[in-house]
Amino acid sequence: MEGPGAYNPRTVEEVFRDFKGRRAGMIKALTTDVEEFFQQCDPEKENLCLYGFPSEQWEVNLPAEEVPPELPEPALGINFARDGMQEKDWLSLVAVHSDAWLLAVAFYFGARFGFEKNDRKRLFSMINDLPTIYEVVSGTAKKQVKEKTSVSNHSSNKSKPISKPRAFEPPRASEPQGKISKGGLPKEDNEGFDDEDEEEHGDTLCGACGENYASDEFWICCDICEKWFHGKCVKITPARAEHIKQYKCPSCSNKRARQ
């Protein structure tokens, strides 16, 4: 079953771009759009599947009717287990099946268009450089980054403290607000840190899309789960962030609303 942005990628780069788009859509469903995803997975409905599209959109729908299907199909019946498990465990289970489906689709294209051994190896290497959906949803990717940073700092014997990514951190009531620059720090503190910032925090991942930190983008940290997000992924601008005393990401906001 194919929807928005459907096309047939024929090169390694095109298949990888297709993979990234589908992956981004499914990560949105399980993170920033989790409330809507939860509601759509009604256990009273028939077998439902989570689809990701190359356009970075997602959809919960019935499986394809044609046999055999145009593409490999994702796991059936993800809605049936929704109310029988802890929400975190259920989302992690859907994430694992989503990872398996993404690989199946990518290598289906590889087989269909005759990728040779080196092409398949290069495709897998490109895919493997990205954290899995499960790692993003469960927070495992964030832990791996912390461990990697810890080992790196220990081996280099540097004693300087590690700062948070160059992004706006919501001020507490007792903290003065500075002017926010494009990267997020007060303007007067923003000079001379680009190279150091990129080096220290290049492995920090957005909790919504799973992409790496970049110093030229605006980021914001959730005060509840302490995950970092691209401002564009959670629809927060630097101007709006200046007026937020405590930021809660969509996932944390939805959890509190349901409680």
Side-chain angles (χ1 to χ4, degrees):
M1 174 182 177
E2 278 297 80
Y7 68 104
N8 286 328
R10 295 175 179 270
T11 67
V12 171
E13 288 71 23
E14 288 176 345
V15 172
F16 181 61
R17 188 161 59 246
D18 179 274
F19 176 93
K20 285 184 66 177
R22 296 176 190 276
R23 171 181 172 276
M26 300 178 96
I27 288 176
K28 284 180 185 177
L30 300 174
T31 56
T32 55
D33 296 346
V34 68
E35 180 71 11
E36 182 182 353
F37 172 69
F38 187 90
Q39 292 175 354
Q40 289 191 26
C41 291
D42 186 349
E44 298 300 319
K45 294 183 179 180
E46 296 182 42
N47 285 305
L48 294 176
C49 305
L50 171 62
Y51 294 90
F53 300 116
S55 59
E56 300 188 6
Q57 298 179 38
W58 61 272
E59 180 182 63
V60 171
N61 210 334
L62 295 171
E65 294 182 0
E66 63 266 29
V67 179
E70 182 182 355
L71 290 176
E73 284 288 298
L76 294 172
I78 59 172
N79 50 316
F80 295 146
R82 191 196 73 176
D83 295 341
M85 305 172 64
Q86 292 288 332
E87 181 180 340
K88 182 179 179 181
D89 294 335
W90 175 66
L91 291 174
S92 294
L93 179 63
V94 176
V96 169
H97 283 292
S98 299
D99 283 319
W101 178 68
L102 287 177
L103 285 173
V105 171
F107 281 86
Y108 163 82
F109 284 130
R112 180 175 176 182
F113 296 112
F115 285 8
E116 296 181 350
K117 179 179 179 180
N118 288 338
D119 290 332
R120 295 194 301 271
K121 185 176 181 180
R122 185 156 63 93
L123 174 60
F124 181 77
S125 178
M126 295 166 73
I127 290 174
N128 203 38
D129 283 339
L130 295 173
T132 64
I133 297 178
Y134 171 78
E135 288 171 341
V136 173
V137 171
S138 66
T140 306
K142 185 177 179 181
K143 293 177 184 176
Q144 290 176 346
V145 169
K146 286 184 176 180
E147 290 172 0
K148 182 178 179 181
T149 302
S150 176
V151 171
S152 175
N153 288 339
H154 179 73
S155 61
S156 61
N157 292 320
K158 291 183 179 179
S159 59
K160 65 179 181 180
I162 300 175
S163 60
K164 287 190 175 182
R166 185 162 66 90
F168 173 74
E169 182 177 7
R172 276 62 175 179
S174 60
E175 294 177 347
Q177 289 183 316
K179 293 181 179 179
I180 307 303
S181 66
K182 183 176 180 181
L185 284 178
K187 191 172 182 180
E188 60 271 19
D189 295 334
N190 199 21
E191 299 176 0
F193 285 92
D194 285 354
D195 294 339
E196 177 183 328
D197 205 50
E198 193 75 40
E199 179 182 347
E200 287 190 7
H201 306 297
D203 288 331
T204 301
L205 304 174
C206 173
C209 69
E211 296 296 322
N212 289 73
Y213 167 78
S215 62
D216 61 347
E217 296 178 305
F218 174 73
W219 284 57
I220 188 166
C221 179
C222 175
D223 284 324
I224 306 302
C225 65
E226 296 187 348
K227 289 183 180 179
W228 286 88
F229 299 86
H230 290 108
K232 62 184 180 182
C233 288
V234 290
K235 298 180 174 60
I236 298 291
T237 63
R240 182 180 174 189
E242 287 193 52
H243 301 286
I244 300 176
K245 291 185 178 180
Q246 185 185 56
Y247 174 67
K248 289 183 284 189
C249 68
S251 180
C252 291
S253 297
N254 291 333
K255 286 179 183 178
R256 287 177 173 257
R258 282 202 294 274
Q259 290 173 357

